[in-house]
Amino acid sequence: MSASNANRRPSVSASDPPTFIPIPANTRGIPASSFGPLSPVATTGTSPLASYASYGTSPQGPGSHNRQRSTSSAAFGIARQLTAFLPADYPLDEEPEHEGPNGGSAKKQGKVKVLLLENINLDAANFLKNAGYEVDHVSKAYSEEELLQKLPNYQAIGIRSKTKITKKVIDANPQLLVIGCFCIGTNQVDLDSAAKKGIAVFNSPFSNSRSVAELVISEIIALSRQLTDRSGELKQGIWNKVSKGCWEIRGKTLGIVGYGHIGAQLSVLAEAFGMSVIYYDVIPIMPLGTARQVDTLEDLLSKSDFVTLHVPEIPDTIGMMGALEFSQMKNGAYFINNARGKVVDLDALADALESKHLAGAAIDVFPREPGSNGPGFDGSLGSFIPRLRQLNNLILTPHIGGSTEEAQRAIGSEVATALVRYLNYGTTLGSVNFPEVDLRAITAQDERHIRLCFVHRNEPGVLKVVNNILSDHNIEKQFSDSKGDIAYLMADISGVGHEEVADIYTQIKRTQANILTRLLY
């Protein structure tokens, strides 16, 4: 074996996926026993990961989001585990103080409590537990009423697509620090309201794209061969060997609406099956392979044998496929939606299938969906449901586009990592409603350091006020960014005594622009 091959990292096979979630704060693989003390002053609290939030007047919501990445988190030395400062009025079940290592008192730390809903991957739950959090893992989605009742006990929540975090829920939970969407979409969260309250929201925009793309390929083949109908007939004891209306997919045209991560992967897979690929997107995108972008949705619909949607649920896409659009599709074409339920008028789809204008369809998402597994997919979700259940060559699946072991492990890893990095170190890389800010780690060599995490209204003079408060100390590093009306500052200050932390915290919290102040030390 050559030297270059000996140093090469082993590849990861889709058939043999990783079975663990890496620890994000220890990217260099240093043994846990090598880590420095939790803070300059040792504590004996229940967890080193406690966080505290202070909220002021709400600003307006953030503007558009442009995701960017930073490599600034690489640290020299060994990253220190940070501890959140808790002010005297922070509610704890236990006594608020205990004797410090050199006499006197030192504040105890309450545990961060995390609520995981909708049967989020157990690897993610165990990872968060191992990080020191108290984790409650629930298999179902919560209604708004249940969230109002139970969420006040938690500082962080993880959801998938069914649980709705509304403005009412956000306003009722000022203790909430972070929301993790263990899925691609974030339309189930009121992002503006969360930002106004200083609540960061994270998602996993890429991790299940392969699973969705593979599902679409399987649906294309199943629809073209009427597989679900033949399978259903055999289960009823009916032998119906026919070829009429059954087709190879080779040589057919696939129209992809939305050429993002899923659409692009699907494009490559479809071409490997011998399909021609065209796509429509609102922005010009370089194609993969021989795919070709068309100028209008109508152009795509009129030329495609199969049409598949891969768009977010935003005002411009809600109801984008209705009676007019279905009439523009080829007679005998097939329609697939694994995107979002509200982008399709399902009554209009039922009309197109009943009239035989469309030869088949596959639907994985619906405008309203049951909150848990079991009975409930009926007319209470919409008048179109009983109609759809009676149609031939129609594949109905319960929102399983990303429901594979590989995708759920990857999503759990990505979102759980983001939650820990934000709660422990203030890092907002990957946030969908906050500016993305990161600083290299405070290490075991950095004594008497604190980290300021300051969410504030984006207005003139804020940094001047904050820097005046910190002027008696050395600002080792500082980074600020804004997104619409929300700004976020991270700063590491050295030469801070334990007795000074409370005063710094109080002064910054009382600034006029304050939304959320956290001090990590």
Side-chain angles (χ1 to χ4, degrees):
M1 180 181 293
S2 66
S4 60
N5 287 336
N7 294 326
R8 185 175 298 167
R9 289 183 297 177
S11 61
V12 177
S13 169
S15 62
D16 186 23
T19 57
F20 65 93
I21 296 177
I23 299 176
N26 186 17
T27 56
R28 297 177 58 200
I30 300 169
S33 59
S34 300
F35 277 69
L38 297 181
S39 69
V41 178
T43 68
T44 58
T46 58
S47 171
L49 307 177
S51 302
Y52 177 79
S54 171
Y55 297 90
T57 306
S58 299
Q60 298 298 314
S64 63
H65 174 66
N66 293 316
R67 188 174 295 263
Q68 60 186 6
R69 295 297 171 194
S70 167
T71 58
S72 63
S73 59
F76 69 95
I78 301 169
R80 174 191 293 153
Q81 183 72 61
L82 298 181
T83 299
F85 165 73
L86 297 181
D89 59 353
Y90 186 83
L92 289 176
D93 294 334
E94 65 239 43
E95 291 297 322
E97 295 187 347
H98 67 281
E99 185 175 339
N102 300 314
S105 63
K107 292 185 180 298
K108 282 190 175 182
Q109 303 299 316
K111 275 198 174 183
V112 167
K113 289 181 151 184
V114 182
L115 176 62
L116 298 181
L117 301 177
E118 303 184 60
N119 204 29
I120 286 170
N121 182 260
L122 282 174
D123 284 351
N126 290 330
F127 172 66
L128 292 170
K129 290 178 183 178
N130 292 335
Y133 306 139
E134 286 186 6
V135 179
D136 288 332
H137 189 264
V138 180
S139 61
K140 70 168 190 172
Y142 274 179
S143 65
E144 185 178 69
E145 291 73 20
E146 289 174 308
L147 288 171
L148 291 172
Q149 177 185 359
K150 299 176 181 180
L151 192 54
N153 296 320
Y154 301 92
Q155 289 77 44
I157 183 172
I159 62 173
R160 295 179 71 184
S161 57
K162 294 176 184 176
T163 301
K164 311 299 181 185
I165 308 293
T166 62
K167 182 180 186 301
K168 184 176 181 180
V169 171
I170 290 169
D171 289 343
N173 288 277
Q175 85 297 336
L176 193 61
L177 293 173
V178 63
I179 298 170
C181 297
F182 287 73
C183 53
I184 291 179
T186 56
N187 57 287
Q188 68 274 39
V189 178
D190 189 327
L191 298 178
D192 287 353
S193 294
K196 292 175 184 179
K197 294 297 186 181
I199 303 170
V201 180
F202 297 90
N203 71 330
S204 180
F206 318 124
S207 295
N208 72 356
S209 56
R210 178 68 181 199
S211 295
V212 177
E214 289 186 5
L215 178 64
V216 174
I217 289 293
S218 72
E219 290 170 335
I220 290 172
I221 296 173
L223 290 172
S224 65
R225 299 294 296 274
Q226 301 180 16
L227 291 184
T228 56
D229 287 358
R230 300 293 86 78
S231 176
E233 289 163 354
L234 273 183
K235 288 181 178 180
Q236 298 176 34
I238 301 171
W239 185 271
N240 187 21
K241 182 179 179 180
V242 296
S243 59
K244 184 178 180 179
C246 298
W247 314 93
E248 294 181 355
I249 67 171
R250 178 181 55 174
K252 305 303 186 297
T253 299
L254 173 63
I256 301 173
V257 182
Y259 202 71
H261 294 278
I262 296 172
Q265 286 202 45
L266 175 60
S267 172
V268 174
L269 293 176
E271 286 196 3
F273 279 87
M275 302 187 78
S276 299
V277 177
I278 59 176
Y279 63 94
Y280 170 72
D281 204 291
V282 293
I283 60 175
I285 298 179
M286 181 70 71
L288 299 178
T290 62
R292 179 173 58 86
Q293 186 166 11
V294 297
D295 294 329
T296 65
L297 177 62
E298 181 179 359
D299 192 14
L300 179 139
L301 296 175
S302 64
K303 294 178 178 178
S304 300
D305 300 299
F306 295 84
V307 173
T308 178
L309 302 186
H310 301 285
V311 297
E313 183 184 303
I314 58 177
D316 289 341
T317 62
I318 293 176
M320 67 178 294
M321 288 297 298
L324 174 62
E325 289 73 23
F326 287 122
S327 69
Q328 294 169 346
M329 291 179 64
K330 284 184 177 182
N331 187 48
Y334 303 86
F335 175 76
I336 298 170
N337 181 26
N338 290 330
R340 285 291 180 261
K342 292 184 180 179
V343 303
V344 177
D345 181 343
L346 290 178
D347 277 309
L349 175 61
D351 291 339
L353 291 169
E354 289 170 346
S355 67
K356 306 298 183 183
H357 175 63
L358 295 184
I363 304 296
D364 187 49
V365 289
F366 303 86
R368 294 174 57 205
E369 298 176 357
S372 59
N373 291 342
F377 187 68
D378 52 37
S380 65
L381 301 177
S383 59
F384 45 80
I385 298 295
R387 297 175 65 192
L388 295 177
R389 290 170 58 180
Q390 300 301 316
L391 290 168
N392 294 327
N393 208 23
L394 174 61
I395 302 172
L396 299 176
T397 49
H399 205 148
I400 60 169
S403 296
T404 62
E405 293 285 352
E406 294 91 344
Q408 291 308 305
R409 277 201 295 268
I411 290 170
S413 174
E414 182 175 0
V415 180
T417 294
L419 297 184
V420 170
R421 284 171 56 83
Y422 178 68
L423 289 170
N424 289 14
Y425 304 105
T427 299
T428 57
L429 293 184
S431 174
V432 296
N433 69 332
F434 265 31
E436 294 186 283
V437 177
D438 190 19
L439 288 178
R440 70 177 185 270
I442 294 177
T443 73
Q445 300 170 350
D446 299 322
E447 297 182 357
R448 295 167 60 86
H449 279 57
I450 65 171
R451 171 164 291 181
L452 167 65
C453 303
F454 182 49
V455 186
H456 58 278
R457 295 195 297 276
N458 184 22
E459 58 188 36
V462 175
L463 292 183
K464 179 181 179 181
V465 173
V466 172
N467 287 333
N468 283 338
I469 295 172
L470 305 177
S471 60
D472 290 336
H473 305 279
N474 183 38
I475 300 178
E476 296 279 352
K477 45 190 181 288
Q478 184 180 57
F479 183 28
S480 178
D481 198 3
S482 62
K483 183 176 182 181
D485 293 329
I486 303 296
Y488 185 48
L489 167 69
M490 287 179 66
D492 286 354
I493 306 99
S494 63
V496 181
H498 184 266
E499 69 283 354
E500 299 174 278
V501 174
D503 182 57
I504 293 174
Y505 170 85
T506 301
Q507 289 188 64
I508 294 176
K509 184 190 72 170
R510 290 177 178 174
T511 57
Q512 184 176 354
N514 174 72
I515 297 175
L516 171 99
T517 298
R518 289 199 298 152
L519 287 185
L520 306 176
Y521 68 98

